[in-house]
Amino acid sequence: MVDIRVPAHVQPFVTAIGIEPTVKFLLAFGGGYAYLSENPQERSPVAKEIGREATIALAREIGSGGISVPTAKPFIASHMKFNLGLTTNDIARQLHVTHATVRKWLQAGESKQLELFR
């Protein structure tokens, strides 16, 4: 896996459960509210999506209760491109944006500074 820059607002999720479960969580709940509990019930949508253990870890890291889940689409696009090897068009279809938007996100994440030491 390539180390990609994790935005500050997504870092607590990645710290608690890792990149893959975080991406799964963001794709399922991003842009809305989700309820986190350290004792999730069987009917918990979050527990159904990412598993009971991951839900508990997330609740312990972020806090129990309702949270507003970020969409973090530029982060997800970088993960899909550099870690999963998806094409720009595939990423655009999955994130429901244009291929031009995905290209812009990916270019914004690249460093424009020349490397001094190689």
Side-chain angles (χ1 to χ4, degrees), residues 44-64:
S44 165
V46 176
K48 286 180 182 177
E49 188 66 36
I50 62 172
R52 181 176 167 77
E53 291 77 25
T55 303
I56 293 168
L58 202 53
R60 287 183 178 152
E61 179 71 26
I62 296 174
S64 295

Side-chain angles (χ1 to χ4, degrees), residues 85-104:
L86 297 179
T87 65
T88 303
N89 285 329
D90 290 336
I91 296 167
R93 282 189 215 101
Q94 288 189 30
L95 297 181
H96 302 284
V97 296
T98 66
H99 62 87
T101 299
V102 173
R103 276 199 317 270
K104 182 182 75 172

Side-chain angles (χ1 to χ4, degrees), residues 13 25 28-37 44-46 58 62-70:
F13 298 93
F25 176 75
F29 298 100
Y33 287 97
Y35 185 81
L36 300 177
S37 172
S44 165
V46 176
L58 202 53
I62 296 174
S64 295
I67 62 165
S68 179
V69 182

